[in-house]
Amino acid sequence: KNEVEQSPQNLTAQEGEFITINCSYSVGISALHWLQQHPGGGIVSLFMLSSGKKKHGRLIATINIQEKHSSLHITASHPRDSAVYICAVTGSDTGNQFYFGTGTSLTVIP
Amino acid sequence: DAGITQSPRHKVTETGTPVTLRCHQTENHRYMYWYRQDPGHGLRLIHYSYGVKDTDKGEVSDGYSVSRSKTEDFLLTLESATSSQTSVYFCAISAGGGYTFGSGTRLTVV
């Protein structure tokens, strides 16, 4: 049983395309996180959100608490966006512990 | 991230040997975590600590032990390494609802 499900698992896009990665979760949460991991690299936190929408450069994250769903959008995608994007949630009754999705591997082709 | 470092970055060891991975933080955070990352599984919690000498098991703790004698250091020990413990290990610290990850340790057990 996975508390956090992501789709798609793999995604290939042409440079410039608009990209959407989806995340659904089944537990009550206090926050949802989007993380980025480049090949062979470390894990970087992109967003932490508990409601509404956040934007950072070409990245936009939204969350719908009622539907237990979040999306990560990338506008005007670029090859340097190629990475694994991981959705994670902090359970509302699990203290500081996270539940992680298995990640979406994005490849942006020039 | 400048606040958290893992060592070593890479290690190859033989089956049956003990291995210790180190996580060091300069942020004085209370919560520290050890995860392993494997294809198809995402990040899975091994052990975590909520203070000096206060630790607890995660979902994949079998074969691993941890120690935290100082706030800044969290050690992960494989008492007798097995091939199934070949993985990438990430340390993380938690503060303000967010996570900061170390750069990871790639461990190969041959």
Side-chain angles (χ1 to χ4, degrees):
Chain A
K1 158 174 98 66
N2 291 327
E3 290 83 2
V4 181
E5 299 279 357
Q6 286 184 238
S7 63
Q9 284 191 323
N10 297 284
L11 181 57
T12 300
Q14 292 286 339
E15 183 174 357
E17 285 186 4
F18 181 84
I19 290 163
T20 296
I21 300 170
N22 295 299
C23 174
S24 297
Y25 54 92
S26 58
V27 296
I29 69 168
S30 56
L32 183 141
H33 306 252
W34 283 102
L35 312 171
Q36 181 191 57
Q37 185 177 27
H38 281 100
I43 301 169
V44 175
S45 177
L46 297 175
F47 294 104
M48 180 177 75
L49 64 165
S50 55
S51 65
K53 180 170 78 172
K54 287 191 175 180
K55 184 175 188 291
H56 184 251
R58 295 179 294 104
L59 301 178
I60 303 166
T62 64
I63 188 169
N64 185 318
I65 297 295
Q66 288 72 32
E67 295 185 3
K68 294 188 173 180
H69 181 270
S70 175
S71 293
L72 177 68
H73 305 287
I74 304 175
T75 62
S77 59
H78 189 276
R80 64 175 176 267
D81 296 326
S82 298
V84 174
Y85 292 84
I86 302 168
C87 176
V89 300
T90 311
S92 55
D93 58 355
T94 58
N96 278 35
Q97 291 191 45
F98 275 35
Y99 299 103
F100 292 89
T102 55
T104 295
S105 179
L106 171 66
T107 301
V108 181
I109 300 170
Chain B
D1 187 277
I4 180 170
T5 55
Q6 289 183 233
S7 59
R9 291 295 310 275
H10 302 272
K11 185 168 182 68
V12 180
T13 192
E14 293 186 349
T15 299
T17 61
V19 177
T20 295
L21 309 182
R22 180 179 182 242
C23 178
H24 178 80
Q25 61 147 329
T26 60
E27 309 289 331
N28 201 35
H29 292 307
R30 181 181 171 196
Y31 284 87
M32 299 183 74
Y33 306 82
W34 276 108
Y35 290 92
R36 59 178 290 173
Q37 185 180 41
D38 304 287
H41 289 279
L43 287 154
R44 292 182 292 174
L45 181 65
I46 305 171
H47 282 278
Y48 68 100
S49 171
Y50 46 96
V52 173
K53 298 187 179 176
D54 291 323
T55 65
D56 207 348
K57 296 179 179 180
E59 63 177 303
V60 291
S61 60
D62 287 348
Y64 302 94
S65 63
V66 290
S67 66
R68 192 163 177 205
S69 58
K70 298 184 290 185
T71 299
E72 57 265 36
D73 289 325
F74 191 32
L75 304 180
L76 176 70
T77 298
L78 290 66
E79 302 291 348
S80 177
T82 67
S83 58
S84 66
Q85 293 176 311
T86 292
S87 186
V88 180
Y89 291 85
F90 285 96
C91 176
I93 55 177
S94 173
Y99 258 29
T100 301
F101 289 87
S103 299
T105 296
R106 185 173 295 276
L107 176 68
T108 302
V109 183
V110 298

